[in-house]
Amino acid sequence: MSFTRWLRRLAPLMMCLVLLVSACTSASSKYDQVQDDTTGFGSPAAVDKKAEKGGTFNAFFPDNQSGYNVTPYQEKKGFAEYKLEQDGKTVAMLTISDTTSVPGSAEKYSAATQSIGGFPTVEQGSTATGVLVNDRYQVKVLSRDPSFTKEDRAAWLEKFDLQGLAQLKGAINPGAKPSAALPQSSTAAPARPKDGFKLPRVKLPSVSPSLQPAS
């Protein structure tokens, strides 16, 4: 009888324990589901370890222009972004990114038929124009206002220091010649003598002092 009474007293405790474990398991399950549903949502793409530091790109953005302010907005490894403002309103975004983390970004330039500053350019949708510098660095201007046209985007891409960006050590083709689509004026460098070439020595006759008779 005592054992039966003990079981009766223990039963409510066991029931409470079962309900508690069930509740915890359910809560955990719901949390895990939410986490699974949101994993990757809005998260940045993985950045290649070899990607250029975002701060390196700051030197190649255009400066403020008459009526326009160029303001830093975002910077991270492999990416830098500035706002282009006019009368206090953001009319466009200016970006430079390292495509080593997203190789597909560079592939679309392989069929480019136009160039800006000597580098291939493509339209990306109706609001963005991009330039690929030395097969690696993508420079883009994205319209944020209907008044900022395709021609405006091209004009602002020309204001970037694209030639300076092309000299980065990480460029796939550092110092590559600009595309033939837009001829670039250049001055031929003077020819240098080949290695090992020496000018022939010319032996000059020695001049011996002459004596003049005393007057």
Side-chain angles (χ1 to χ4, degrees):
M1 294 293 293
S2 60
F3 179 73
T4 303
R5 269 184 266 152
W6 174 254
L7 286 178
R8 289 177 180 176
R9 293 177 181 177
L10 186 61
L13 294 176
M14 293 296 293
M15 184 61 69
C16 292
L17 182 60
V18 170
L19 292 175
L20 180 61
V21 171
S22 299
C24 292
T25 302
S26 177
S28 177
S29 177
K30 291 180 181 179
Y31 174 80
D32 291 342
Q33 183 61 46
V34 172
Q35 190 175 40
D36 291 340
D37 292 342
T38 57
T39 296
F41 179 76
S43 61
V47 179
D48 193 283
K49 292 181 179 180
K50 296 180 181 179
E52 198 73 49
K53 294 180 179 179
T56 304
F57 299 139
N58 293 329
F60 308 111
F61 280 87
D63 295 324
N64 294 339
Q65 306 287 327
S66 177
Y68 291 91
N69 289 327
V70 181
T71 308
Y73 180 70
Q74 183 181 179
E75 178 186 308
K76 59 185 178 181
K77 188 173 180 63
F79 181 80
E81 184 175 31
Y82 281 59
K83 290 193 297 185
L84 181 62
E85 299 176 320
Q86 183 182 38
D87 298 329
K89 179 174 63 176
T90 300
V91 294
M93 302 300 293
L94 315 177
T95 70
I96 299 178
S97 60
D98 190 337
T99 63
T100 55
S101 299
V102 189
S105 298
E107 292 176 1
K108 56 179 169 282
Y109 290 90
S110 59
T113 58
Q114 297 181 332
S115 62
I116 292 178
F119 300 102
T121 178
V122 295
E123 294 297 319
Q124 301 179 22
S126 60
T127 60
T129 306
V131 168
L132 185 65
V133 176
N134 288 358
D135 299 330
R136 177 168 179 174
Y137 302 114
Q138 181 175 217
V139 183
K140 291 175 64 175
V141 176
L142 304 95
S143 297
R144 288 292 181 263
D145 188 90
S147 64
F148 201 83
T149 65
K150 171 183 174 181
E151 290 72 25
D152 293 325
R153 295 196 298 268
W156 274 91
L157 282 170
E158 292 179 347
K159 299 179 188 297
F160 281 81
D161 183 7
L162 300 178
Q163 297 298 331
L165 182 61
Q167 302 306 314
L168 281 183
K169 293 181 180 180
I172 295 176
N173 292 319
K177 293 182 180 180
S179 169
L182 289 180
Q184 302 289 323
S185 59
S186 60
T187 304
R192 295 186 301 173
K194 295 182 179 179
D195 294 340
F197 178 83
K198 296 182 180 180
L199 294 174
R201 291 185 178 181
V202 178
K203 186 175 182 181
L204 299 176
S206 59
V207 180
S208 58
S210 56
L211 298 176
Q212 300 292 334
S215 55

